[in-house]
């Protein structure tokens, strides 16, 4: 260990320094890249909504983040609704009431805009200079509920539908009333919001505006779980009953079917009048984990490892997932072939793809027939 090692240690020290500099450069480069891809946008509270009872689960005002448009995008608007599941009874709604999914008091003051919300032309060439809004999710029912009574014991407010209108009206007062183009979009539960409220959004917008809707990972299907039970159908019926959503779901559906069934896009999409674009993975990760193989249908946890990583799935499980994909495509056929309908359905095991730069626009983004999913496929 001794002879001649002074020079050797000096070389190792230099190599260590070089490696450290390399790692520091890599970290700095990543930070620069992240900064170039995302912009932090401050929160706005719709304070005047409280007087209208248009509030989050805990009674706090609804909120959004707004990055103003510039130049050619000054009169174009993208309103993106955040996702976050649903609460189906008093217990599950209480569990989220005092979190960011039930209270604007608990929301972070800034969020990073990336993907479809990015202000960088290279990463978001279609929308970078539009007015871009991210609406925070805090009602637990895709902004459909409206129950007048507030139980003094729980202090739960089921007022999502009122909050939706209050948010849109607030944006209209801030320039959206002059919109030339407007898109209502959203991810997951927010994607369902963009479907269920598509025509309502159109009605609130100026008649002269071109209005379309984009649902990202919002096409949840009515399907049995691995035990044969209709878990998601029961769950949605409970959501609708708890939040008093029936009167705010499309009447073209509720006039034909039970209200709980009108929470499923496949039962409402055909009658939507406004142009609609569906972005979804055929192997939607959330749906496979929560509709196909929810924990309640898998008491022994045989799907646990598979749901964490599809490389761990058995051949039987993969076949069941293939069958689920076919069910998804069958449900998607309800969209119809109208020229006012479009879709981009890939085979990723993913959930929500528009807000992430990796899946929105990058060299390795999902591609179908050499087409990357961008706004040019929507308009």
């Amino acid at each position: 260990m001794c002879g001649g090692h002074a020079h050797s240690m000096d070389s190792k020290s230099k190599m260590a320094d070089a490696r450290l500099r390399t790692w520091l450069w890599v970290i700095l480069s990543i930070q620069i890249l992240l900064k170039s891809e995302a912009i932090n946008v401050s929160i706005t509270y719709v304070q005047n909504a409280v007087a209208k009872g248009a509030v989050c689960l805990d009674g706090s005002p609804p909120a959004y983040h707004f990055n103003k448009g510039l130049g050619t995008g000054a009169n174009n608007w993208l309103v993106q609704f955040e996702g976050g599941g649903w609460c189906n009874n008093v217990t599950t709604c209480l569990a989220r009431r005092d979190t960011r999914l039930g209270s604007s008091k608990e929301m972070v003051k800034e969020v990073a805009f990336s993907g479809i919300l990015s202000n960088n032309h290279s990463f978001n060439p279609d929308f970078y200079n539009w007015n871009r809004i991210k609406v925070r999710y805090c009602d637990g029912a895709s902004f459909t509920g409206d129950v007048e009574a507030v139980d003094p014991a729980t202090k739960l407010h089921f007022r999502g539908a009122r909050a939706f209108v209050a948010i849109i009206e607030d944006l209209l007062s801030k320039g959206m009333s002059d919109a030339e183009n407007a898109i209502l979009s959203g991810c997951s539960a927010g994607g369902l919001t963009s479907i269920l409220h598509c025509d309502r959004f159109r009605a609130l917008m100026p008649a002269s505006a071109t209005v379309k809707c984009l649902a990202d990972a919002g096409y949840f299907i009515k399907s049995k779980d691995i035990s044969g039970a209709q878990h998601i159908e029961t769950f949605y019926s409970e959501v609708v009953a708890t939040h008093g959503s029936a009167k705010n779901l499309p009447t073209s559906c509720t006039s034909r079917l039970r209200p709980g069934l009108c929470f499923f896009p496949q039962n409402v999409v055909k009658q939507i009048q406004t142009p609609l674009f569906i972005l979804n993975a055929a192997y939607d990760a959330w749906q496979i984990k929560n509709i196909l193989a929810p924990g309640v249908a898998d008491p022994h946890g045989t799907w646990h490892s598979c749901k964490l990583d599809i490389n761990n799935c058995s051949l039987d499980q993969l076949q069941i997932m293939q069958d689920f994909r076919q069910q998804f495509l069958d449900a998607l056929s309800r969209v119809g072939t109208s020229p006012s309908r479009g879709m981009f359905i890939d085979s990723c095991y993913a959930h929500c793809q528009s807000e992430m730069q990796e899946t929105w626009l990058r060299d390795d983004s999902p591609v179908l027939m050499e087409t990357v999913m961008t706004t040019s496929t929507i308009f």
Side-chain angles (χ1 to χ4, degrees):
M1 281 183 68
C2 300
H5 281 194
H7 176 72
S8 175
M9 290 298 292
D10 185 53
S11 297
K12 287 179 180 177
S13 177
K14 287 179 180 176
M15 287 172 63
D17 286 345
R19 280 198 297 270
L20 179 60
R21 283 195 298 272
T22 300
W23 276 112
L24 287 172
W25 173 247
V26 169
I27 292 169
L28 180 62
S29 298
I30 291 171
Q31 289 176 334
I32 291 171
L33 181 63
L34 288 173
K35 192 161 186 177
S36 69
E37 287 185 4
I39 178 175
N40 288 328
V41 181
S42 299
I43 198 166
T44 297
Y45 302 98
V46 189
Q47 298 289 5
N48 65 357
V50 178
K52 306 171 189 173
V55 292
C56 299
L57 282 171
D58 71 333
S60 60
Y64 59 80
H65 302 258
F66 177 15
N67 193 227
K68 200 162 176 58
L70 301 167
T72 57
N75 289 323
N76 296 333
W77 293 72
L78 169 67
V79 185
Q80 174 93 349
F81 277 74
E82 182 181 36
W86 310 271
C87 59
N88 63 324
N89 54 42
V90 169
T91 302
T92 56
C93 289
L94 275 174
R96 64 198 280 155
R97 184 193 64 187
D98 300 320
T99 73
R100 67 175 182 83
L101 290 173
S103 171
S104 60
K105 298 173 187 174
E106 303 300 323
M107 295 171 185
V108 294
K109 299 297 185 286
E110 288 188 342
V111 296
F113 275 21
S114 183
I116 196 172
L117 294 171
S118 173
N119 69 332
N120 188 312
H121 178 272
S122 299
F123 298 120
N124 188 28
D126 297 292
F127 288 140
Y128 76 99
N129 65 349
W130 283 38
N131 295 282
R132 285 156 291 107
I133 296 95
K134 179 165 186 170
V135 178
R136 303 305 297 274
Y137 183 37
C138 69
D139 79 301
S142 290
F143 290 91
T144 61
D146 192 355
V147 177
E148 184 63 37
V150 178
D151 187 334
T154 63
K155 296 184 173 62
L156 282 169
H157 296 70
F158 301 116
R159 303 281 183 75
R162 294 191 202 183
F164 177 87
V165 173
I167 290 162
I168 300 305
E169 288 180 344
D170 196 55
L171 293 171
L172 287 167
S173 73
K174 292 179 178 176
M176 197 165 70
S177 59
D178 296 320
E180 294 172 6
N181 297 290
I183 292 180
L184 174 68
S185 72
C187 149
S188 192
L192 181 59
T193 298
S194 69
I195 294 173
L196 297 177
H197 286 288
C198 187
D199 285 340
R200 183 173 287 113
F201 180 69
R202 165 68 276 185
L204 290 167
M205 293 298 293
S208 59
T210 297
V211 178
K212 300 188 179 184
C213 304
L214 164 64
D216 177 8
Y219 204 90
F220 299 94
I221 69 166
K222 180 181 176 296
S223 174
K224 291 180 180 178
D225 63 32
I226 52 174
S227 74
Q230 288 280 4
H231 172 74
I232 190 64
E233 180 181 337
T234 301
F235 181 81
Y236 273 178
S237 292
E238 291 168 353
V239 170
V240 169
T242 297
H243 291 262
S245 300
K247 59 182 172 290
N248 296 307
L249 297 172
T251 54
S252 58
C253 178
T254 54
S255 62
R256 298 178 292 112
L257 301 170
R258 286 185 289 108
L261 294 174
C262 297
F263 222 62
F264 289 101
Q266 66 202 75
N267 291 329
V268 302
V269 70
K270 193 77 178 283
Q271 282 74 39
I272 292 172
Q273 302 297 308
T274 309
L276 173 67
F277 195 93
I278 306 291
L279 165 62
N280 227 105
Y283 297 98
D284 188 292
W286 190 94
Q287 295 196 52
I288 285 171
K289 292 173 183 176
N290 297 281
I291 294 180
L292 177 64
V296 67
D298 184 30
H300 302 296
T302 54
W303 277 76
H304 182 71
S305 179
C306 170
K307 290 194 294 185
L308 285 176
D309 184 348
I310 58 172
N311 291 311
N312 298 329
C313 299
S314 68
L315 289 176
D316 286 344
Q317 288 170 328
L318 290 173
Q319 184 58 55
I320 291 169
M321 288 166 67
Q322 289 270 21
D323 293 342
F324 183 81
R325 171 185 176 274
Q326 189 56 54
Q327 288 183 61
F328 177 83
L329 296 178
D330 290 344
L332 198 64
S333 67
R334 303 276 190 94
V335 172
T337 57
S338 164
S340 68
R341 298 286 183 268
M343 63 184 71
F344 188 95
I345 311 299
D346 55 47
S347 291
C348 301
Y349 184 63
H351 184 65
C352 289
Q353 300 177 78
S354 64
E355 292 180 1
M356 296 179 292
Q357 201 61 59
E358 292 81 359
T359 45
W360 180 243
L361 184 61
R362 271 224 181 132
D363 291 342
D364 57 351
S365 296
V367 173
L368 291 178
M369 297 176 68
E370 298 184 6
T371 300
V372 178
M373 168 61 203
T374 66
T375 316
S376 57
T377 57
I378 303 171
F379 274 95

